[in-house]
Amino acid sequence: MGDRTRSVAIVGAGVSGLTCGVVFAERGDRAAIFAEHVGQQTTSGAAAALWFPYDCEPREKVVVWALATRSVLVDLARDCTAGVSVVELRQYSRTGELVVPDWANSLGAVSVIPSEVEGPLKIFKSGFSLSVPLMDTTIYLDYLADRFRAAGGEIHTGVRFEKIDEVDRAFDTVINCAGIGARELVQDVDLEPHRGQVVIVPKIDILHSAVVCDDDPLMYAVPRTNDCLFGGTNEISEDLAADAATTARIVGESARVLNIDRPRVLREQVGLRPFRKSGVRLESAQLADGRTVIHNYGHGGSGFTLSWGCAAEVVDLAERRA
Ligand SMILES: Cc1cc2nc3c(=O)[nH]c(=O)nc-3n(C[C@H](O)[C@H](O)[C@H](O)COP(=O)(O)OP(=O)(O)OC[C@H]3O[C@@H](n4cnc5c(N)ncnc54)[C@H](O)[C@@H]3O)c2cc1C
């Protein structure tokens, strides 16, 4: 049994930092989150937030973390305050035969032939369908923050560190959940910003499943509690401004696929997926002053999908250093 009175400072209040915060605080550790931005202002706030491994390495570890996360999220879907539901995801290809990954087969994925069954979706050549957790970020990020505070955690926002060593020495363990911010915070040149733009439109009555197509142009339509999210883009760029032509393209392609009139745009959001070329960094190290730092960043397009599995491993690493 490790030390239950550890004091933990978490840098970052996106999905990774908030999830780690919940796990530490609910174990009885003293935990505080320090972040420049929280929730909706982070990359996490721009995500489609479907459970689905995408744009993230290394594959073998990603699947293990993803499956661990999935079972926590399926349980959370029973809590109507969490903003988590289990939805049908339809993953399509416009170009050829979509190979169903092994992990999806093990979860009961079923092939679908769009030309035979889907009407307007017949532009797709192949696809599969799978039940997956979906997090409505407008609810789920606040739910995590509230759950963290209810367990005694504190959130300090508007705090920007130039270096990770600057974190208050009153905390004996530091958790680095800075997402793309880790490039500067720990000078990680392996991180690459994979920019994503999404468009929020009013609820669409005919849309009951999440529809995703990874072929170029990347396209997804995700029905949420109070609205619908259309996407998307994935390009190497750190431009956080929404681009009007991209919005028009996203709305046009989604409307074409769903065979509906172009809906009104409620808002646009942009986030930088923290893609790390050598894979997610989840490891412990030592700061110059001897304190333990555990890095948990670089989740690319899968931060929600890996969140609980990675948080559990962060706690294990902290236990081993205690
Ligand atoms: C368009 C789009 C769609 C996506 N869809 C999905 C999806 O369907 N499913 C999925 O699993 N993932 C998806 N993702 C990916 C997912 O959003 C990210 O992997 C995830 O948000 C990363 O979370 P994070 O908490 O690690 O980082 P972030 O959300 O970026 O949070 C980083 C935190 O660190 C803070 N910070 C950074 N630097 C500093 C510093 N120097 N000092 C203090 N604070 C600092 C920030 O203020 C912020 O609070 C999508 C991403 C985008 C952009």
Side-chain angles (χ1 to χ4, degrees), residues 11-17 34-38 42-44 46-52 159-162 177-182 185 194-198 220 271-274 296-297 299-306:
V11 179
V15 69
S16 306
F34 298 88
E36 188 172 10
H37 301 295
V38 65
T42 66
T43 290
S44 301
L50 280 164
W51 180 93
F52 195 88
V159 183
R160 183 179 164 81
F161 301 110
E162 296 306 319
C177 297
I180 198 69
L185 192 64
H194 286 190
R195 178 184 183 278
Q197 180 167 330
V198 295
Y220 42 88
L272 306 180
R273 298 178 185 89
N296 178 30
Y297 65 84
H299 305 93
S302 300
F304 286 82
T305 307
L306 309 185

